[in-house]
Amino acid sequence: MFKHILVPVDGSETSLQAVSKAAELAKVFNSEVTAVYVLDPYPFTGVGADFAYGQAQYLSAATAEANKALEDVTERMKDTGVTVKTLVGEGHAIHEGIVRVGENVGADLIVMGSHGRRGLEKLVLGSVAQRVLQTAKVPVLVVRG
């Protein structure tokens, strides 16, 4: 039924729960799995003259965090016997990066975690899962933390 599953991760336990769910589905449907960590390459736009220095430090730290999260995904998938491809994507809006990567790899299902933010926290931080649900052209399975 599902040939290619995309699993966006952010290094949280909630995203690793989504990885486990994706592994279960991949076993049942014999699906390919791609895990992606999307980072915003330009979070400091408009900050001023110190932008370039801060940008380099940010990208270094963000890439290291992304690689660590994807290593955790690979280990978790290895434990289930499912092979996973990993990649770091970019997007000024994280949800747009997720949807774009899904389209580029030909995913026909997105399995992602949701932190379940509510109230003011959701208003301030937003909900990546909600935005993916609104914009993705493929089914999205949201795993609650």
Side-chain angles (χ1 to χ4, degrees):
M1 182 173 198
F2 298 111
K3 294 179 182 173
H4 197 139
I5 301 170
L6 179 69
V7 187
V9 297
D10 63 5
S12 68
E13 184 56 38
T14 303
S15 70
L16 289 176
Q17 290 171 356
V19 167
S20 296
K21 185 59 69 179
E24 292 173 25
L25 291 167
K27 285 176 138 181
V28 170
F29 296 114
N30 196 28
S31 308
E32 285 184 65
V33 178
T34 299
V36 62
Y37 187 110
V38 176
L39 54 90
D40 180 355
Y42 305 108
F44 303 119
T45 302
V47 171
D50 293 331
F51 170 69
Y53 180 72
Q55 175 72 7
Q57 286 182 318
Y58 163 77
L59 281 177
S60 177
T63 301
E65 183 178 315
N67 289 333
K68 170 66 172 112
L70 292 170
E71 286 172 17
D72 292 345
V73 169
T74 301
E75 285 302 312
R76 185 161 292 200
M77 284 291 199
K78 189 184 299 182
D79 292 344
T80 66
V82 174
T83 303
V84 62
K85 296 176 189 171
T86 61
L87 57 94
V88 176
E90 292 183 353
H92 187 61
I94 301 302
H95 73 282
E96 290 174 357
I98 291 168
V99 171
R100 185 172 42 256
V101 168
E103 291 170 354
N104 290 343
V105 301
D108 54 2
L109 175 67
I110 299 172
V111 178
M112 63 186 301
S114 174
H115 297 285
R117 294 185 176 104
R118 293 188 176 13
L120 185 59
E121 184 178 27
K122 182 176 179 180
L123 180 65
V124 172
L125 298 175
S127 171
V128 174
Q130 181 65 37
R131 290 183 181 131
V132 170
L133 281 165
Q134 291 170 339
T135 58
K137 296 176 182 155
V138 299
V140 179
L141 173 63
V142 178
V143 177
R144 299 295 295 247

